[in-house]
Amino acid sequence: MEIANITEMRQNPARVISRAVRTKQPVVVMQRSRPVAYIVDAASYEATQRRLDEAEKIVRLNESRMALEELANLRASMREDTGDSVALIRELRERRSQ
């Protein structure tokens, strides 16, 4: 990873940006020995955003799948148990808190 300090960014930002574009590696901008920003080329940023969007879709899909499984389990429990619904609701709440 390339490093640029804030002074270099002020003096010649085009050089820092072109370094990120040319190397396809992020350039970390440091101020007082701490990273304050990262400069990445547009293609790398867009690819990262696409991967992040895909990961979020997978997470949502898994959450939906888990909710459907829980619903199926609830329906099965309701068919098996014709007793008190309070006990069934309590059991569901306990499962969720685990």
Side-chain angles (χ1 to χ4, degrees):
M1 183 179 314
E2 300 278 332
I3 298 174
N5 63 37
I6 199 76
T7 303
E8 183 179 0
M9 280 299 299
R10 286 185 188 126
Q11 292 173 349
N12 199 343
R15 181 172 51 203
V16 176
I17 293 169
S18 68
R19 210 173 3 174
V21 170
R22 185 180 68 252
T23 64
K24 303 290 186 213
Q25 294 293 316
V27 176
V28 61
V29 179
M30 306 290 284
Q31 184 176 25
R32 296 186 184 130
S33 301
R34 285 192 258 174
V36 294
Y38 290 88
I39 299 182
V40 296
D41 66 291
S44 296
Y45 175 80
E46 290 166 358
T48 300
Q49 288 302 113
R50 280 192 302 275
R51 287 192 299 269
L52 180 59
D53 290 344
E54 288 300 315
E56 288 174 347
K57 287 177 187 175
I58 290 169
V59 166
R60 284 193 302 273
L61 181 62
N62 286 336
E63 288 172 348
S64 296
R65 189 173 293 134
M66 288 172 50
L68 288 172
E69 286 175 11
E70 187 175 340
L71 181 58
N73 291 336
L74 173 61
R75 286 181 176 161
S77 294
M78 290 174 72
R79 278 193 297 265
E80 293 170 6
D81 185 18
T82 57
D84 186 16
S85 63
V86 173
L88 179 60
I89 292 170
R90 184 178 300 124
E91 180 185 332
L92 289 170
R93 286 183 181 153
E94 288 173 2
R95 274 194 237 161
R96 270 206 172 160
S97 64
Q98 293 176 356

